[in-house]
Structure formats: structure tokens, C-alpha cells
Amino acid sequence: MEAFSREAGETKALSGLGDLIVSLDEAAEKFGIEKVKTIGGAYLAVCGLSVSRPDHARRMAQFAQEAVRIVAHSHRDFKAELNVAIGINSGPVVGGVVGRRKFLYDLWGDTVTLAKKLAVGKGDSTIRVTQSVRDRIGDQFQLVGPVQVELEGRAPIEAWQVSA
């Protein structure tokens, strides 16, 4: 997105990012995913927090695959190569409202931190999942791995890539 922003200008990039987020929001609604927030090009979403969903891991993986398709389709609109890196983890989180004047709902916890650290990629779009997610979706999706993922500030973990 940064390269596109430099080339096309901030106004066009912001408009394009807005359109992309709207498409992601529509996909999130389709799969029962709750968007928590967007910051720049980052999209934080959760499934099963407000509404209990026993199949939350499957829904997140489906949403991630759809997000990869949406971003790939946006190549035509942006006339630039866009990729997305997605990290999916499952576990406890703490949610709450921060601030007094401009409120912001956010999620915290090791579960969120680990998912964010998995959402790193260069080049092609990637969807990475932790062991806990793999255990829930293993036979429903084509998974590649495990691979050791080096995470800044923590011991390496095993992760699997979901084929998009």
C-alpha cells in the first residue's frame, strides 16, 4: 500500500483503501466475523467473542481466504501489486474501551499478540495459523507445514500456512 500511495498520491490511496476495507467488512459480515478496528493497512477481527461460535476457527480461515481473494482482485483497481499477510490464533483475549474523548474498542492478550506477529509476509499473500487453530481446522483446509516461525521477542513457534 505504501508504494501505491507514493505513486498514486495519498487521496487516491485513501479512497482505494476505503473501498478495500468496505469489501473486507462485507466479507466479515458474510462469515460472522466481527471487525474490531482498522489502523492503516491493518485489519483486526475476531470470531466467537460477542456471539459464541463453536466453528470460529473455520469461519476465520474462510474469511482469511476471502480476504486474500479481495486483495488480489484489488490489483486491477489499484494497478499495483497488493498482498496481505494474515495471522490467525485462538485463545483468551481481553477486550475493552480505551479513551475518554475518542473512544476506541481494542483487544489485548497473548492470543492477539501472537496472531499479529504471524501476520508478517513479504511477497505473496499468506495466511498463517497456530497449532490451536490447526487442531480445529486441520482436515477442512489444505495446510502446508509446519514451519518454524521466528517471532521477535519470543521463542520460535510452529505455524501452518492455509492455502488460499
Side-chain angles (χ1 to χ4, degrees), residues 32-36 45-53 56 93 95-96 105 107:
I33 306 299
E34 304 165 56
K35 177 173 82 172
V36 176
V46 65
C47 185
L49 185 62
S50 298
V51 176
S52 179
R53 300 200 186 272
H56 64 276
V93 297
Y105 181 79
L107 297 177

Side-chain angles (χ1 to χ4, degrees), residues 94-136:
V94 174
V97 177
V98 180
R100 291 187 182 169
R101 294 204 172 119
K102 290 194 174 190
F103 300 108
L104 172 70
Y105 181 79
D106 204 356
L107 297 177
W108 298 272
D110 196 50
T111 302
V112 177
T113 301
L114 188 52
K116 286 180 182 178
K117 289 183 182 230
L118 282 178
V120 176
K122 291 185 171 109
D124 294 337
S125 291
T126 59
I127 303 167
R128 289 186 179 157
V129 301
T130 59
Q131 175 78 45
S132 63
V133 174
R134 182 194 157 269
D135 290 346
R136 290 172 172 83

Side-chain angles (χ1 to χ4, degrees), residues 23-80:
S23 295
L24 292 172
D25 288 347
E26 289 169 354
E29 187 174 329
K30 173 182 170 184
F31 292 107
I33 306 299
E34 304 165 56
K35 177 173 82 172
V36 176
K37 66 180 179 179
T38 56
I39 296 180
Y43 191 102
L44 177 62
V46 65
C47 185
L49 185 62
S50 298
V51 176
S52 179
R53 300 200 186 272
D55 61 343
H56 64 276
R58 178 186 59 80
R59 288 171 178 264
M60 283 303 292
Q62 288 174 313
F63 170 66
Q65 289 176 319
E66 184 67 13
V68 168
R69 284 189 283 278
I70 288 167
V71 170
H73 184 264
S74 295
H75 284 228
R76 287 180 234 138
D77 298 335
F78 283 101
K79 295 186 176 114

